[in-house]
Amino acid sequence: MRLNHKVALITGVGSGIGRESALLFAREGAQIVGVDLNPETGEKTRQDIVQAGGQAIFIQADVSRHSDAMRMVEAAEESFGRLDILFNNAGISHAQDDDAIHTPEEVWDLTFQVNVKGVFLGCKYGIPALRRAGGGSVINTASFVALLGAATPQLAYTASKGAVLAMSRELAVIHAREGIRVNALCPGPLETELLMKYLDTPQKRQRRLVHIPMGRFGQAKEIARAALYLASDESSFVTGSTFLVDGGITAA
Ligand code: NAD
C-alpha cells in the first residue's frame, strides 16, 4: 500500500478527480479528509470509502472561505492526528467565462475566489500542518490551459490556472528544505461534469477532440493515478513540477 499511515486532505471529493483520488488514496491505505461544497455528493464519497473498508471523514466546506479552510485542516488533525498530503483540487469553470470583452466582472471574481484563493487558503492553513507532521506533499490542480490558450475562450479560468501554476512553483522553492513538496497537476480535457456540461452535443465534442493527439478525453481515474504518484514517497525528488497528464494536447 503506497499511502499507508498517511492522512490526505482532498478538496472537491464530490465529483470527478477529487472523488476518484479519494477512493484510490483510501485503497492505498490513506486516511481521507474529504472536502466539498456539496454535502450530498461529498458524503456519498465518504460512504463509498468506508463501505470498501477504508477510513474517511467528510467536511462540507467552501474552499474560498478562510474559516472553512481553517476548519478542514483542524478536522484532519483532530480526527487523524496529522496531515501528510494536501490536495487542493476543487475548482470551477463558469458558463459565462469568455474573452476579455464579454466576461462579466463577477464571473472573473468568482473564478479567482474559488480557483486561486481556494488554493492559497488551503496552503495557508495546510502547510503549517504538514510542517507539524515533519513534511508532506501538496498537489494543486491547475490545468493544461495554464500553458496553452484554451480552444474556446475562458479567460478567467485560464488566468486562474496560470496563477495556480505560478503559486505552486514558488511554494515548492520556499518549502523545499522543510521536506514539503509542492507540485501542480495539469490535466488535459476530461470526461467529467466540469467540461462535459459545455460539450453537450456530439458535434461540440468532436470539435474539441480534434485538438487532443490521443483522440479521446481523459478519465478522472487517470488523473487520480498521477496524483497518487505525487502524493506518495515514490515522487520523493519531485517538487515544483508542472505535471502534465493531458493526452498530448500541450505537445501538439
Ligand atoms: P468536477 O466539477 O467534476 O468536480 C469539482 C468538485 O469541486 C465538485 O464536487 C464541486 O462541488 C467541488 N467544488 C466546487 N467549488 C467548491 C468550493 N468552493 N469549495 C469546495 N468544493 C467545491 O470537476 P473536475 O473535472 O473533477 O475538476 C477538478 C479540478 O480539475 C478543478 O480544479 C478543475 O479546474 C481541474 N481540471 C479539470 C479539467 C477537466 O477537463 N475536467 C481539466 C483540467 C483541470
Side-chain angles (χ1 to χ4, degrees), residues 12-18 35-38 41 61-64 89-92 114-115 141-144 157 161 187-190 192-195:
V13 291
S15 171
I17 298 171
V35 174
D36 207 288
L37 195 55
N38 184 323
T41 58
D62 178 346
V63 294
S64 68
N89 166 73
I92 55 164
V114 177
N115 293 6
T141 307
S143 168
F144 74 98
Y157 184 78
K161 294 302 184 179
L190 306 179
T192 66
E193 178 60 24
L194 188 122
L195 179 61

Side-chain angles (χ1 to χ4, degrees), residues 71-174:
R71 190 162 54 81
M72 68 189 190
V73 174
E74 277 168 14
E77 293 191 308
E78 274 167 24
S79 301
F80 299 122
R82 57 189 288 126
L83 182 66
D84 304 288
I85 297 155
L86 171 67
F87 189 2
N88 292 306
N89 166 73
I92 55 164
S93 76
H94 198 286
Q96 285 174 278
D97 194 359
D98 201 316
D99 59 19
I101 301 162
H102 298 98
T103 301
E105 195 178 334
E106 316 79 74
V107 169
W108 179 274
D109 288 344
L110 178 65
T111 304
F112 268 67
Q113 189 80 9
V114 177
N115 293 6
V116 183
K117 191 175 172 193
V119 173
F120 160 67
L121 290 174
C123 291
K124 185 176 183 61
Y125 297 109
I127 288 177
L130 298 179
R131 208 182 248 161
R132 288 191 284 277
S137 172
V138 181
I139 306 161
N140 295 326
T141 307
S143 168
F144 74 98
V145 299
L147 304 169
L148 285 182
T152 43
Q154 274 198 304
L155 199 67
Y157 184 78
T158 300
S160 75
K161 294 302 184 179
V164 172
L165 184 58
M167 201 177 357
S168 305
R169 290 161 65 100
E170 180 153 318
L171 286 168
V173 175
I174 294 171

Side-chain angles (χ1 to χ4, degrees), residues 15-21 24 190-192 217-227:
S15 171
I17 298 171
R19 174 176 161 81
E20 293 301 333
S21 300
L24 179 61
L190 306 179
E191 209 158 354
T192 66
F217 294 105
Q219 301 297 321
K221 281 185 177 156
E222 296 177 296
I223 310 305
R225 289 200 289 266

